[in-house]
């Protein structure tokens, strides 16, 4: 205990450093600080931004070691208790320090010591006026939509709902009505609308703005510059913005009064962060709604099994939209066809070509879905067996014909295509397999004169390019659209008569736990782009496994049956969501070192794990080498959430920090 003078005050401060708890600092006598203030403090020898989380009149730190707060950054209102609780929870849950969780949740502008232009920037950000928007016409809700809206309206306090609606059933319209009601009911209330993909936010942002021309609607996503993000964040923090539309990062924003949370396409993988604080924005959405005692709506045509299980258990309430909303729009027919013979040199079977011709003749558009970009996944030499591969990763390099380069899709490494086989000098090296570029080429030959557009990360890599490409499709300037996952999500295309799915089989054979769940969701979503208005659309799936039950469920568009079956299997095999998982991932310059670290970690784990927690043997990761780092992982599984959490806390504190091996702990890993 240091020698205290009467009236001395101390602050508990969190900083962005691993493993560090709340640190005590002295509050200088002439300084006024509040809980939630950002402050500048000295940490070891650096000056860092921290956040005050408590104020007290005594401290355990000896007087000689006790440092004072340098400056209070009272440029904005203090961070509120609700936000502090959220970041504290996220830190505990995902095994990071509170400070790491809190400071990574802040925009760069508020997490660094302010620069000289800061005050001016703030002034400008605050003066910014909402965009003027033309109000949009709104359709009359149909009976299903109305009853969904009413169910939410009637709820009180925390109320989790799953809006399970087929593609094109008008979920967005339901969201807009809920937002409108929420804003009307609480004059200073704010709404968070989470969306998965960046390429969708501009479209949705526009739709929301048009709907609430008098309100400030802001957006947070990784497309925005640091300054734009900080400005949107501040507008929400200060209560000037009433609607926030954003990707997962928006989940960690600071609200003045959150009254409604909506997660669109809740099953989407992008809600789970892949690095840093590996949080699930979907899961935090539910937590946050419960703390704010408000409704949360998880919308999807194919809810995740985690969510589906909660519906079955009665934790979440199911709201269903069984029909397409636009008048006369029906769900498309889904048919399976055989892929072309191997070695035929084409990706489209004769039946597929005929179907394309027929739809083009009607003046409607065709979507071709191929979940692999580039020309071919690998180049190979028939003479010696050489295959193009990445020197830094355990992966093939993909052949990109237009650029004439071989590219690693994992680390970005690339080189020009060699003139001859590097192994034996054979000049006849050939592409194997098919990617979007190759489909585009084939379409050009098969359907001469048709307007073909390819959308994938290669063709629309720059900001705004994707938006422009999609606008072209909407304007009817494209006959054949070929693309990856990017074209699957949410786009409300008006004139697509046929969707052709070219390579579903790769995923049918995948050993990953969630592969089937994800495949169903993707196929349903792509299929959902067909026939969204006007005449009925058609979906053709080329597959060698027409007997697979996944396709039967897809063809009958019966997601509940499929999900129920998967849940039964998972329960029988004791898989997620019936068990709770964490992965310890280690990487090093050699695989032996990574595995040795994990074996030691496993030994430690065996000692402390209670009966409800199982620690498995370490295994190399499927992509074992990435950017010259060798990677391995170890699975921890528990019967319940609480024992997993407790175990991870003690265990991770014992794991050594060495320079030879770096490790991360991932709670609720996306897929293994
Ligand atoms: P989802 O998000 O469920 O796929 P959307 O919200 O994009 O569906 O709606 C699909 C289409 O139906 C949109 O063009 C939308 O304008 C239209 N729509 C939605 N609700 C109605 C309604 N009640 N009456 C007429 N059209 C509607
Ligand atoms: Zn060769
Ligand atoms: Zn690589």
């Amino acid at each position: 205990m240091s020698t205290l003078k009467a009236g001395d005050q101390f602050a508990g401060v969190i900083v962005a450093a691993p493993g560090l708890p709340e640190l005590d600092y002295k509050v200088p006598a002439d300084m006024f600080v509040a809980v939630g203030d950002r402050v500048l403090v000295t940490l070891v020898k650096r000056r860092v931004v921290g956040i005050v989380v408590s104020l007290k009149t005594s401290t355990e730190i000896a007087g000689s070691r006790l440092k004072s707060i340098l400056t209070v950054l009272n440029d904005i209102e203090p961070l509120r208790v609700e936000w502090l609780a959220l970041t504290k929870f996220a830190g505990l849950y995902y095994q990071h320090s509170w400070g790491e969780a809190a400071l990574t949740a802040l925009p760069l502008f508020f997490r660094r010591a302010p620069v000289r232009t800061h005050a001016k920037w703030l002034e400008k950000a605050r003066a910014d006026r909402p965009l003027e928007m033309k109000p949009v016409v709104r359709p009359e809700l149909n009976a299903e939509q109305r009853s969904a809206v009413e169910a939410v309206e009637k709820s009180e306090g925390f109320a989790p709902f799953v809006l399970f609606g087929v593609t094109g059933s008008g979920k967005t319209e339901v969201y807009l009505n809920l937002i409108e009601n929420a804003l009307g009911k609480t004059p200073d209330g704010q709404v968070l609308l989470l969306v998965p993909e960046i390429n969708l936010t501009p479209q949705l942002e526009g739709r929301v703005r048009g709907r609430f021309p008098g309100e400030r609607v802001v957006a947070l996503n990784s497309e925005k510059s640091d300054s734009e993000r900080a400005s949107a964040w501040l507008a929400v923090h200060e209560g000037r913005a009433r609607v926030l539309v954003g990707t997962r990062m928006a989940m960690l924003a600071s609200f003045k009064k959150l009254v409604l949370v909506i997660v669109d396409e809740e099953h989407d993988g992008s809600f789970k962060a892949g690095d840093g604080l590996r949080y699930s924005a979907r899961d935090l959405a539910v937590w946050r709604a419960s703390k704010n005692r408000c409704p949360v709506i998880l919308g999807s045509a194919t809810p995740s099994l985690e969510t589906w299980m909660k519906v079955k258990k009665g934790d979440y309430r199911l709201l269903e939209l069984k029909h397409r909303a636009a008048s006369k729009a029906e769900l498309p027919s889904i048919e399976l066809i055989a892929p072309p013979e191997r070695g035929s040199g084409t990706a489209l079977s004769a039946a597929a070509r005929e179907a394309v011709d027929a739809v083009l003749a009607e003046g409607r558009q065709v979507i071709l879905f191929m979940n692999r970009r580039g020309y071919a996944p690998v180049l190979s030499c028939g003479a010696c067996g050489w295959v193009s591969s990445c020197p830094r990763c355990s992966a093939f390099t993909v052949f990109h014909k237009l650029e004439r380069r071989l590219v690693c899709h994992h680390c970005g490494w690339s080189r020009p295509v060699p003139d001859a086989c590097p192994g034996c000098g054979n000049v006849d090296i050939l592409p194997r397999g098919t990617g979007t570029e190759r489909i585009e080429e084939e379409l050009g030959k098969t359907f001469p004169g048709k307007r073909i557009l390819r959308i994938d990360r290669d063709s629309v890599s720059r900001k705004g390019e994707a938006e422009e490409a999609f606008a072209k499709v909407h304007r009817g300037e494209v006959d054949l659209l070929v693309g990856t996952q990017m074209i699957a999500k949410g786009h409300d295309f008006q004139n697509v008569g046929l969707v052709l799915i070219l390579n579903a089989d790769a995923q049918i054979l995948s050993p990953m736990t969630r592969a089937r769940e994800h495949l169903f969701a993707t196929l349903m979503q792509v299929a959902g782009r067909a026939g969204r208005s006007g005449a009925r659309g058609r979906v053709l799936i080329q597959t060698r496994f027409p007997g697979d039950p996944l396709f039967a469920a897809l063809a009958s568009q019966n997601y509940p049956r499929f999900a129920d079956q998967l849940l039964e299997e998972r329960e029988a095999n004791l898989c997620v969501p019936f068990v709770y998982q964490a992965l310890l991932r280690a990487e090093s310059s050699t695989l032996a070192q990574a595995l040795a670290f994990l074996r030691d970690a496993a030994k430690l784990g065996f000692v402390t794990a209670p009966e409800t927690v199982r620690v498995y043997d370490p295994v190399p990761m499927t992509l074992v080498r990435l950017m010259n780092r060798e990677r391995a992982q170890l699975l921890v599984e528990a019967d319940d959430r609480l024992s997993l959490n407790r175990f991870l806390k003690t265990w991770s504190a014992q794991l050594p920090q060495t320079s030879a091996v770096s490790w991360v702990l991932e709670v609720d890993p996306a897929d293994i």
Side-chain angles (χ1 to χ4, degrees):
M1 200 58 113
S2 52
T3 39
L4 284 179
K5 292 197 296 285
D8 268 352
Q9 204 187 25
F10 307 92
V13 175
I14 53 172
V15 294
L20 282 189
E22 220 179 291
L23 305 169
D24 286 355
Y25 288 87
K26 189 171 183 315
V27 181
D30 55 349
M31 186 182 278
F32 181 78
V33 289
V35 168
D37 270 335
R38 284 145 50 253
V39 290
L40 268 185
V41 292
T42 317
L43 179 69
V44 194
K45 285 198 176 101
R46 285 183 312 131
R47 292 166 120 221
V48 298
V49 171
I51 300 168
V52 175
V53 294
S54 65
L55 289 168
K56 42 204 159 189
T57 50
S58 69
T59 176
E60 299 290 310
I61 310 288
S64 57
R65 286 176 43 229
L66 189 70
K67 293 179 190 139
S68 291
I69 291 176
L70 303 172
T71 321
V72 194
L73 306 171
N74 49 7
D75 48 350
I76 60 171
E77 286 173 48
L79 291 150
R80 300 179 190 88
V81 173
E82 188 261 353
W83 185 87
L84 292 173
L86 170 78
T87 53
K88 185 175 190 176
F89 170 78
L92 282 172
Y93 190 98
Y94 296 107
Q95 307 291 327
H96 281 265
S97 73
W98 186 1
E100 283 177 299
L103 284 133
T104 52
L106 287 182
L108 204 58
F109 260 60
F110 298 108
R111 132 173 45 120
R112 283 195 311 212
V115 288
R116 213 175 318 123
T117 51
H118 189 74
K120 222 184 182 122
W121 177 86
L122 274 175
E123 197 181 319
K124 205 165 143 259
R126 284 180 175 131
D128 144 63
R129 298 270 131 249
L131 294 173
E132 292 284 332
M133 292 295 294
K134 276 203 301 278
V136 291
V137 281
R138 44 161 76 203
E140 184 91 17
L141 292 188
N142 61 37
E144 285 184 330
Q145 289 171 317
R146 233 181 1 252
S147 69
V149 170
E150 276 163 16
V152 178
E153 289 317 306
K154 274 196 225 128
S155 70
E156 274 172 37
F158 170 56
F161 293 94
V162 174
L163 183 62
F164 171 48
V166 298
T167 52
S169 58
K171 293 186 285 295
T172 314
E173 216 38 61
V174 172
Y175 304 151
L176 292 172
N177 276 270
L178 291 173
I179 295 172
E180 179 173 27
N181 293 349
L183 297 183
K185 207 154 77 184
T186 319
D188 52 348
Q190 295 171 298
V191 177
L192 170 59
L193 173 56
L194 279 190
V195 292
E197 274 286 303
I198 320 168
N199 70 47
L200 269 180
T201 41
Q203 208 190 5
L204 193 65
E205 218 183 299
R207 210 163 146 188
V208 179
R209 282 220 175 90
R211 191 57 178 273
F212 307 107
E215 300 293 353
R216 190 189 301 267
V217 176
V218 295
L220 267 178
N221 58 56
S222 50
E223 287 259 288
K224 307 269 177 203
S225 67
D226 282 334
S227 169
E228 287 169 326
R229 274 194 233 181
S231 165
W233 184 93
L234 188 64
V236 178
H237 176 66
E238 295 182 338
R240 286 176 286 121
R242 301 203 56 205
V243 183
L244 172 59
V245 182
T247 53
R248 68 166 180 264
M249 66 171 72
M251 192 62 240
L252 299 173
S254 155
F255 290 85
K256 201 157 186 176
K257 190 168 194 175
L258 188 59
V259 293
L260 175 66
V261 186
I262 300 169
V263 185
D264 187 26
E265 312 287 5
E266 68 88 30
H267 64 277
D268 195 276
S270 71
F271 288 126
K272 172 89 182 164
D275 53 15
L277 182 76
R278 291 160 182 249
Y279 63 100
S280 155
R282 193 255 331 269
D283 294 350
L284 289 181
V286 177
W287 189 89
R288 207 166 183 186
S290 85
K291 291 294 156 190
N292 285 278
R293 299 198 186 85
C294 74
V296 53
I297 288 77
L298 308 178
S300 176
T302 51
S304 65
L305 286 192
E306 278 78 4
T307 297
W308 195 249
M309 184 174 81
K310 297 239 169 71
V311 170
K312 297 262 133 185
K313 279 177 27 194
D315 294 346
Y316 296 173
R317 213 175 124 194
L318 190 66
L319 306 171
E320 256 188 285
L321 306 178
K322 293 185 176 143
H323 305 98
R324 284 202 155 166
S327 59
K328 290 191 300 194
E330 277 180 89
L331 285 171
S333 69
I334 299 183
E335 303 148 62
L336 306 176
I337 56 172
E341 296 288 318
R342 280 186 209 278
S344 66
T346 68
L348 272 66
S349 68
R353 284 198 299 269
E354 265 170 45
V356 172
D357 270 328
V359 168
L360 291 178
E362 290 168 10
R364 300 178 85 191
Q365 298 167 305
V366 178
I367 285 182
L368 298 103
F369 177 70
M370 161 58 73
N371 215 358
R372 209 189 272 146
R373 63 198 169 89
Y375 189 85
V378 63
L379 272 190
S380 81
C381 167
C384 74
W386 171 86
V387 287
S388 62
S389 50
C390 177
R392 305 195 294 191
C393 307
S394 47
F396 294 136
T397 46
V398 177
F399 173 42
H400 287 251
K401 193 173 178 179
L402 291 174
E403 301 174 300
R404 299 225 40 97
R405 292 188 82 81
L406 294 169
V407 182
C408 174
H409 283 190
H410 299 282
C411 75
W413 180 90
S414 82
R415 61 171 273 189
V417 173
D419 296 328
C421 169
C424 72
N426 172 16
V427 288
D428 211 13
I429 44 178
L430 293 170
R432 279 212 322 237
T434 306
T436 45
E437 254 187 39
R438 196 171 196 167
I439 305 281
E440 187 186 15
E441 184 183 274
E442 181 177 333
L443 293 177
K445 288 183 188 143
T446 318
F447 306 101
K450 293 299 170 193
R451 296 162 301 173
I452 300 162
L453 179 68
R454 172 167 57 91
I455 298 187
D456 56 30
R457 270 204 285 135
D458 301 316
S459 71
V460 293
S461 51
R462 275 184 295 274
K463 208 172 159 168
E465 274 180 337
E467 240 184 298
E468 176 45 29
F470 286 115
K472 257 178 148 163
V473 183
H474 285 292
R475 290 196 301 263
E477 294 163 13
V478 173
D479 302 310
L480 294 151
L481 170 64
V482 52
T484 54
Q485 200 90 324
M486 279 185 82
I487 61 171
K489 296 189 178 168
H491 292 280
D492 193 19
F493 299 127
Q494 292 298 309
N495 192 31
V496 173
L498 173 69
V499 169
L500 197 56
I501 292 164
L502 295 169
N503 71 333
D505 287 356
Q507 252 182 304
I508 278 274
L509 298 171
S510 164
M512 308 288 252
T513 313
R514 291 183 175 89
R516 296 177 74 75
E517 178 186 349
H518 290 162
L519 178 59
F520 192 100
T522 306
L523 295 184
M524 194 74 153
Q525 213 158 24
V526 192
R529 301 312 110 206
R532 290 174 74 87
S533 64
R536 190 172 190 206
R538 230 180 137 188
V539 179
L540 294 180
I541 303 175
Q542 287 192 167
T543 174
R544 284 177 217 287
F545 308 101
D548 194 292
L550 183 144
F551 292 122
L554 195 70
S556 61
Q557 318 221 5
N558 193 338
Y559 183 71
R561 194 177 69 192
F562 176 73
D564 289 348
Q565 262 170 15
L566 276 189
L567 274 182
E568 264 172 46
E569 280 168 30
R570 300 259 188 100
E571 186 165 21
N573 300 326
L574 277 183
C575 279
V576 281
F578 296 92
V579 290
Y580 301 86
Q581 296 182 325
L583 279 178
L584 177 63
R585 294 202 154 124
E587 56 172 63
S588 176
S589 53
T590 69
L591 182 60
Q593 264 180 333
L595 284 169
F597 171 86
L598 292 177
R599 270 194 294 271
D600 289 344
K603 272 187 217 144
L604 277 174
F606 293 143
V607 180
T608 48
E611 221 166 76
T612 48
V613 174
R614 295 167 292 284
V615 178
Y616 290 92
D617 288 328
V619 288
M621 284 175 63
T622 316
L623 184 70
V624 63
R625 196 170 74 251
L626 179 66
M627 299 190 78
N628 287 326
R629 301 282 284 169
E630 304 279 342
R631 312 173 324 142
Q633 66 189 22
L634 176 166
L635 174 67
V636 178
E637 232 169 47
D639 298 336
D640 62 281
R641 163 81 52 217
L642 192 65
S643 48
L644 178 66
N645 204 285
R646 281 203 185 127
F647 168 74
L648 292 179
K649 199 168 164 57
T650 34
W651 186 48
S652 63
Q654 295 172 317
L655 296 177
Q657 300 286 355
T658 70
S659 55
V661 177
S662 55
W663 57 269
V664 292
L665 201 52
E666 179 157 10
V667 182
D668 302 339
D671 208 357
I672 53 168

